[in-house]
Amino acid sequence: MCSLMIRHCLVVTLCMLGLLTCAAQEPAESSEVSYLSFQVPGAFETNPVSINDSNEVTGSYINQTFNGVFAFVRSADGVITTFSVSNSSVTSPVAINASGEIAGQYFNGQTFEGFVRKADGAITTFSPKAGDITYVTGINADRTIIGYFSGTNADSPVHGYVRLADGAITKFDVPGSTQTVPESINREGEITGYYLKVEGTNEYAGFVRSCDGAITTFDVPGSIQIMPVTINARRIVVGTRITSQLDDGFLRDAEGAITTFNVPGAVVTLPVSMNARGIVVGSYSISIDPPLFSGFLRSKAGTFTLFDFPGGMDTTPASINASNVITGYYYNGHDLLGFLRLP
């Protein structure tokens, strides 16, 4: 599936290299901003992936015995609760909604399936097709879950799906494409993601799927690939585009107008999340060898605020909420730890 997830593979590769080589960078931001570090007890890697508007955070962690990947949820007052799908060695949350419900995927011993965990801890597992590989990419306030699935053969078609709160699952594809990968769903149920344009290539373009199932495709001129990562309530889509020279960001407004952006001097700009206000957060690097990652905020006006966790290395934001609180992870020279950036 790496060919589908080239953006995610790039992030992981550069970040892992960065853990070995990068040095802390001085933050460039207002002194009013504060940071909070946290770690799952007994973990050497704490990887937050999503924050809701109540400042609840979910993510995964690896413990000191290296015997699996497990999940956690951190409450607004700092209490960390760990969990995993029964009898699974891998439980990987991807998103938490406004009600504290968490969606993700887990390994069932043979393949990956999806799960949703209620705020009271009850877990339901699912798969659009038994035996296929199922990945989850988002959940909204209505408990609608999105993701994609495919057969276990490397050449199997990849289909998108929508799972409603009652468990009903609808499969969908961009017409004519064998790979459809939803990435984000907003509170109205509109979905963005990417699809394979030309079979046998790595040429991907973007799509928006409306609540009634209508699909609109789009591309960014001059791009080899584009990969939308998030859509907000105003139908603004943000993502990464790959060109022959660099990886940078793009923004598509509700009318379809596209703006590209790049952190000044960066060779890699990777937006990951956007809130209802249109504030974009992500990571950037001014170097590929070695990669030195820091965080950025992009305002609606297009101005950048650059930041690092104080004294840390490889500051990698993952999610931003409506109050501009950001979660992500950083490296302290020994472990990966989670952080909150409080405005």
mmCIF file of all heavy atoms in Angstrom, residues 50-57 76 96 273-281 297 318-327 340-343:
data_model
loop_
_atom_site.group_PDB
_atom_site.id
_atom_site.type_symbol
_atom_site.label_atom_id
_atom_site.label_comp_id
_atom_site.label_asym_id
_atom_site.label_seq_id
_atom_site.Cartn_x
_atom_site.Cartn_y
_atom_site.Cartn_z
ATOM 1 N N SER A 50 -4.674 13.100 16.829
ATOM 2 C CA SER A 50 -5.881 13.901 16.661
ATOM 3 C C SER A 50 -6.289 14.542 17.975
ATOM 4 O O SER A 50 -6.141 13.952 19.041
ATOM 5 C CB SER A 50 -7.021 13.007 16.144
ATOM 6 O OG SER A 50 -8.202 13.741 15.918
ATOM 7 N N ILE A 51 -6.830 15.762 17.885
ATOM 8 C CA ILE A 51 -7.346 16.486 19.041
ATOM 9 C C ILE A 51 -8.723 17.030 18.701
ATOM 10 O O ILE A 51 -8.958 17.504 17.587
ATOM 11 C CB ILE A 51 -6.388 17.633 19.467
ATOM 12 C CG1 ILE A 51 -6.874 18.292 20.763
ATOM 13 C CG2 ILE A 51 -6.206 18.656 18.354
ATOM 14 C CD1 ILE A 51 -5.862 19.268 21.357
ATOM 15 N N ASN A 52 -9.668 16.948 19.650
ATOM 16 C CA ASN A 52 -10.995 17.525 19.414
ATOM 17 C C ASN A 52 -11.112 18.874 20.114
ATOM 18 O O ASN A 52 -10.168 19.347 20.755
ATOM 19 C CB ASN A 52 -12.109 16.557 19.812
ATOM 20 C CG ASN A 52 -12.147 16.258 21.305
ATOM 21 O OD1 ASN A 52 -11.523 16.945 22.121
ATOM 22 N ND2 ASN A 52 -12.901 15.229 21.673
ATOM 23 N N ASP A 53 -12.285 19.491 20.006
ATOM 24 C CA ASP A 53 -12.435 20.840 20.547
ATOM 25 C C ASP A 53 -12.523 20.873 22.065
ATOM 26 O O ASP A 53 -12.513 21.950 22.672
ATOM 27 C CB ASP A 53 -13.665 21.516 19.937
ATOM 28 C CG ASP A 53 -13.460 21.853 18.467
ATOM 29 O OD1 ASP A 53 -12.305 21.865 18.016
ATOM 30 O OD2 ASP A 53 -14.468 22.089 17.762
ATOM 31 N N SER A 54 -12.611 19.697 22.710
ATOM 32 C CA SER A 54 -12.561 19.616 24.170
ATOM 33 C C SER A 54 -11.147 19.354 24.668
ATOM 34 O O SER A 54 -10.947 19.076 25.856
ATOM 35 C CB SER A 54 -13.496 18.492 24.659
ATOM 36 O OG SER A 54 -14.836 18.757 24.285
ATOM 37 N N ASN A 55 -10.175 19.420 23.772
ATOM 38 C CA ASN A 55 -8.753 19.170 24.082
ATOM 39 C C ASN A 55 -8.480 17.722 24.481
ATOM 40 O O ASN A 55 -7.499 17.440 25.175
ATOM 41 C CB ASN A 55 -8.235 20.122 25.159
ATOM 42 C CG ASN A 55 -8.090 21.548 24.662
ATOM 43 O OD1 ASN A 55 -8.079 21.792 23.451
ATOM 44 N ND2 ASN A 55 -7.985 22.483 25.581
ATOM 45 N N GLU A 56 -9.346 16.806 24.042
ATOM 46 C CA GLU A 56 -9.052 15.388 24.201
ATOM 47 C C GLU A 56 -8.177 14.944 23.029
ATOM 48 O O GLU A 56 -8.432 15.324 21.880
ATOM 49 C CB GLU A 56 -10.338 14.573 24.223
ATOM 50 C CG GLU A 56 -11.237 14.876 25.411
ATOM 51 C CD GLU A 56 -12.592 14.228 25.285
ATOM 52 O OE1 GLU A 56 -13.196 14.330 24.197
ATOM 53 O OE2 GLU A 56 -13.051 13.636 26.291
ATOM 54 N N VAL A 57 -7.163 14.148 23.347
ATOM 55 C CA VAL A 57 -6.185 13.732 22.347
ATOM 56 C C VAL A 57 -6.157 12.213 22.260
ATOM 57 O O VAL A 57 -6.218 11.520 23.280
ATOM 58 C CB VAL A 57 -4.766 14.238 22.709
ATOM 59 C CG1 VAL A 57 -3.720 13.706 21.729
ATOM 60 C CG2 VAL A 57 -4.736 15.765 22.750
ATOM 61 N N ALA A 76 -8.740 16.216 28.810
ATOM 62 C CA ALA A 76 -8.304 17.607 28.881
ATOM 63 C C ALA A 76 -7.541 17.907 30.163
ATOM 64 O O ALA A 76 -6.691 18.810 30.186
ATOM 65 C CB ALA A 76 -9.510 18.530 28.764
ATOM 66 N N ILE A 96 -10.399 11.539 16.569
ATOM 67 C CA ILE A 96 -11.347 11.619 17.679
ATOM 68 C C ILE A 96 -12.340 12.724 17.358
ATOM 69 O O ILE A 96 -11.965 13.810 16.917
ATOM 70 C CB ILE A 96 -10.624 11.878 19.019
ATOM 71 C CG1 ILE A 96 -11.613 11.866 20.186
ATOM 72 C CG2 ILE A 96 -9.804 13.167 18.991
ATOM 73 C CD1 ILE A 96 -10.939 11.841 21.559
ATOM 74 N N SER A 273 -3.369 19.350 8.973
ATOM 75 C CA SER A 273 -4.651 19.582 9.628
ATOM 76 C C SER A 273 -5.065 21.033 9.437
ATOM 77 O O SER A 273 -4.220 21.914 9.249
ATOM 78 C CB SER A 273 -4.546 19.238 11.111
ATOM 79 O OG SER A 273 -5.776 19.387 11.789
ATOM 80 N N MET A 274 -6.371 21.280 9.502
ATOM 81 C CA MET A 274 -6.915 22.628 9.379
ATOM 82 C C MET A 274 -8.171 22.711 10.234
ATOM 83 O O MET A 274 -8.961 21.767 10.284
ATOM 84 C CB MET A 274 -7.250 22.932 7.919
ATOM 85 C CG MET A 274 -7.990 24.244 7.689
ATOM 86 S SD MET A 274 -8.352 24.556 5.926
ATOM 87 C CE MET A 274 -9.172 23.023 5.458
ATOM 88 N N ASN A 275 -8.355 23.833 10.918
ATOM 89 C CA ASN A 275 -9.548 23.963 11.745
ATOM 90 C C ASN A 275 -10.636 24.758 11.028
ATOM 91 O O ASN A 275 -10.469 25.178 9.874
ATOM 92 C CB ASN A 275 -9.215 24.550 13.120
ATOM 93 C CG ASN A 275 -8.675 25.982 13.049
ATOM 94 O OD1 ASN A 275 -8.801 26.666 12.037
ATOM 95 N ND2 ASN A 275 -8.074 26.431 14.130
ATOM 96 N N ALA A 276 -11.756 24.969 11.710
ATOM 97 C CA ALA A 276 -12.889 25.648 11.101
ATOM 98 C C ALA A 276 -12.575 27.092 10.740
ATOM 99 O O ALA A 276 -13.227 27.677 9.868
ATOM 100 C CB ALA A 276 -14.089 25.599 12.049
ATOM 101 N N ARG A 277 -11.575 27.670 11.390
ATOM 102 C CA ARG A 277 -11.177 29.051 11.101
ATOM 103 C C ARG A 277 -10.307 29.160 9.854
ATOM 104 O O ARG A 277 -9.979 30.258 9.421
ATOM 105 C CB ARG A 277 -10.424 29.638 12.291
ATOM 106 C CG ARG A 277 -11.210 29.668 13.593
ATOM 107 C CD ARG A 277 -10.362 30.243 14.703
ATOM 108 N NE ARG A 277 -11.077 30.296 15.971
ATOM 109 C CZ ARG A 277 -10.557 30.793 17.086
ATOM 110 N NH1 ARG A 277 -9.325 31.288 17.085
ATOM 111 N NH2 ARG A 277 -11.262 30.798 18.203
ATOM 112 N N GLY A 278 -9.887 28.023 9.315
ATOM 113 C CA GLY A 278 -9.005 28.034 8.156
ATOM 114 C C GLY A 278 -7.540 28.112 8.507
ATOM 115 O O GLY A 278 -6.688 28.347 7.629
ATOM 116 N N ILE A 279 -7.192 27.914 9.785
ATOM 117 C CA ILE A 279 -5.795 27.879 10.201
ATOM 118 C C ILE A 279 -5.221 26.503 9.869
ATOM 119 O O ILE A 279 -5.778 25.477 10.258
ATOM 120 C CB ILE A 279 -5.641 28.154 11.712
ATOM 121 C CG1 ILE A 279 -6.381 29.437 12.099
ATOM 122 C CG2 ILE A 279 -4.165 28.231 12.086
ATOM 123 C CD1 ILE A 279 -5.874 30.676 11.413
ATOM 124 N N VAL A 280 -4.113 26.488 9.154
ATOM 125 C CA VAL A 280 -3.478 25.247 8.715
ATOM 126 C C VAL A 280 -2.243 24.990 9.560
ATOM 127 O O VAL A 280 -1.474 25.909 9.871
ATOM 128 C CB VAL A 280 -3.066 25.331 7.231
ATOM 129 C CG1 VAL A 280 -2.365 24.053 6.783
ATOM 130 C CG2 VAL A 280 -4.287 25.600 6.360
ATOM 131 N N VAL A 281 -2.049 23.730 9.938
ATOM 132 C CA VAL A 281 -0.857 23.347 10.678
ATOM 133 C C VAL A 281 -0.167 22.208 9.941
ATOM 134 O O VAL A 281 -0.811 21.426 9.234
ATOM 135 C CB VAL A 281 -1.196 22.935 12.133
ATOM 136 C CG1 VAL A 281 -1.982 21.636 12.169
ATOM 137 C CG2 VAL A 281 0.055 22.826 12.992
ATOM 138 N N LEU A 297 2.368 27.147 11.391
ATOM 139 C CA LEU A 297 0.970 27.563 11.318
ATOM 140 C C LEU A 297 0.840 28.513 10.137
ATOM 141 O O LEU A 297 1.689 29.391 9.956
ATOM 142 C CB LEU A 297 0.549 28.292 12.590
ATOM 143 C CG LEU A 297 0.159 27.479 13.815
ATOM 144 C CD1 LEU A 297 -0.004 28.414 15.003
ATOM 145 C CD2 LEU A 297 -1.124 26.730 13.564
ATOM 146 N N ALA A 318 0.331 17.212 14.401
ATOM 147 C CA ALA A 318 -0.583 16.227 13.822
ATOM 148 C C ALA A 318 -1.992 16.758 13.653
ATOM 149 O O ALA A 318 -2.691 16.349 12.724
ATOM 150 C CB ALA A 318 -0.622 14.974 14.694
ATOM 151 N N SER A 319 -2.441 17.662 14.536
ATOM 152 C CA SER A 319 -3.841 18.063 14.515
ATOM 153 C C SER A 319 -4.024 19.390 15.240
ATOM 154 O O SER A 319 -3.299 19.685 16.194
ATOM 155 C CB SER A 319 -4.690 16.967 15.179
ATOM 156 O OG SER A 319 -6.060 17.250 15.152
ATOM 157 N N ILE A 320 -5.011 20.171 14.789
ATOM 158 C CA ILE A 320 -5.335 21.455 15.410
ATOM 159 C C ILE A 320 -6.838 21.516 15.630
ATOM 160 O O ILE A 320 -7.618 21.034 14.812
ATOM 161 C CB ILE A 320 -4.864 22.638 14.523
ATOM 162 C CG1 ILE A 320 -5.102 23.982 15.228
ATOM 163 C CG2 ILE A 320 -5.522 22.606 13.150
ATOM 164 C CD1 ILE A 320 -4.468 25.172 14.503
ATOM 165 N N ASN A 321 -7.260 22.109 16.759
ATOM 166 C CA ASN A 321 -8.694 22.228 17.016
ATOM 167 C C ASN A 321 -9.174 23.659 16.820
ATOM 168 O O ASN A 321 -8.408 24.539 16.408
ATOM 169 C CB ASN A 321 -9.060 21.660 18.389
ATOM 170 C CG ASN A 321 -8.541 22.486 19.555
ATOM 171 O OD1 ASN A 321 -8.070 23.620 19.385
ATOM 172 N ND2 ASN A 321 -8.615 21.930 20.752
ATOM 173 N N ALA A 322 -10.448 23.907 17.132
ATOM 174 C CA ALA A 322 -11.051 25.212 16.864
ATOM 175 C C ALA A 322 -10.437 26.332 17.691
ATOM 176 O O ALA A 322 -10.526 27.505 17.316
ATOM 177 C CB ALA A 322 -12.557 25.148 17.108
ATOM 178 N N SER A 323 -9.820 25.982 18.824
ATOM 179 C CA SER A 323 -9.179 26.984 19.683
ATOM 180 C C SER A 323 -7.711 27.172 19.348
ATOM 181 O O SER A 323 -6.970 27.802 20.105
ATOM 182 C CB SER A 323 -9.332 26.574 21.147
ATOM 183 O OG SER A 323 -10.693 26.472 21.507
ATOM 184 N N ASN A 324 -7.267 26.600 18.243
ATOM 185 C CA ASN A 324 -5.866 26.662 17.792
ATOM 186 C C ASN A 324 -4.912 25.906 18.708
ATOM 187 O O ASN A 324 -3.703 26.167 18.705
ATOM 188 C CB ASN A 324 -5.386 28.105 17.631
ATOM 189 C CG ASN A 324 -6.075 28.818 16.486
ATOM 190 O OD1 ASN A 324 -6.685 28.192 15.627
ATOM 191 N ND2 ASN A 324 -5.991 30.137 16.480
ATOM 192 N N VAL A 325 -5.431 24.981 19.511
ATOM 193 C CA VAL A 325 -4.562 24.093 20.284
ATOM 194 C C VAL A 325 -4.068 22.997 19.349
ATOM 195 O O VAL A 325 -4.857 22.385 18.619
ATOM 196 C CB VAL A 325 -5.296 23.484 21.490
ATOM 197 C CG1 VAL A 325 -4.364 22.550 22.266
ATOM 198 C CG2 VAL A 325 -5.824 24.582 22.399
ATOM 199 N N ILE A 326 -2.781 22.745 19.366
ATOM 200 C CA ILE A 326 -2.153 21.796 18.456
ATOM 201 C C ILE A 326 -1.589 20.633 19.251
ATOM 202 O O ILE A 326 -1.020 20.820 20.336
ATOM 203 C CB ILE A 326 -1.006 22.468 17.673
ATOM 204 C CG1 ILE A 326 -1.540 23.620 16.823
ATOM 205 C CG2 ILE A 326 -0.253 21.460 16.792
ATOM 206 C CD1 ILE A 326 -0.455 24.515 16.265
ATOM 207 N N THR A 327 -1.738 19.435 18.707
ATOM 208 C CA THR A 327 -1.038 18.287 19.269
ATOM 209 C C THR A 327 -0.140 17.680 18.208
ATOM 210 O O THR A 327 -0.324 17.891 17.009
ATOM 211 C CB THR A 327 -2.009 17.227 19.812
ATOM 212 O OG1 THR A 327 -1.296 16.297 20.627
ATOM 213 C CG2 THR A 327 -2.716 16.482 18.692
ATOM 214 N N LEU A 340 1.327 19.389 23.526
ATOM 215 C CA LEU A 340 0.256 20.321 23.245
ATOM 216 C C LEU A 340 0.889 21.699 23.114
ATOM 217 O O LEU A 340 1.725 22.088 23.933
ATOM 218 C CB LEU A 340 -0.792 20.351 24.359
ATOM 219 C CG LEU A 340 -1.668 19.114 24.536
ATOM 220 C CD1 LEU A 340 -2.576 19.293 25.733
ATOM 221 C CD2 LEU A 340 -2.498 18.863 23.288
ATOM 222 N N ARG A 341 0.490 22.412 22.098
ATOM 223 C CA ARG A 341 0.896 23.825 21.919
ATOM 224 C C ARG A 341 -0.334 24.667 22.196
ATOM 225 O O ARG A 341 -1.341 24.579 21.503
ATOM 226 C CB ARG A 341 1.419 24.086 20.521
ATOM 227 C CG ARG A 341 1.877 25.507 20.272
ATOM 228 C CD ARG A 341 2.282 25.678 18.812
ATOM 229 N NE ARG A 341 2.851 26.978 18.539
ATOM 230 C CZ ARG A 341 2.167 28.071 18.186
ATOM 231 N NH1 ARG A 341 0.833 28.000 18.088
ATOM 232 N NH2 ARG A 341 2.769 29.203 17.927
ATOM 233 N N LEU A 342 -0.276 25.471 23.258
ATOM 234 C CA LEU A 342 -1.422 26.220 23.743
ATOM 235 C C LEU A 342 -1.273 27.696 23.390
ATOM 236 O O LEU A 342 -0.307 28.342 23.815
ATOM 237 C CB LEU A 342 -1.558 26.056 25.259
ATOM 238 C CG LEU A 342 -1.586 24.591 25.734
ATOM 239 C CD1 LEU A 342 -1.427 24.529 27.243
ATOM 240 C CD2 LEU A 342 -2.878 23.934 25.312
ATOM 241 N N PRO A 343 -2.208 28.259 22.611
ATOM 242 C CA PRO A 343 -2.087 29.680 22.206
ATOM 243 C C PRO A 343 -2.380 30.623 23.349
ATOM 244 O O PRO A 343 -2.976 30.236 24.356
ATOM 245 C CB PRO A 343 -3.138 29.795 21.104
ATOM 246 C CG PRO A 343 -4.165 28.763 21.449
ATOM 247 C CD PRO A 343 -3.407 27.617 22.069
#
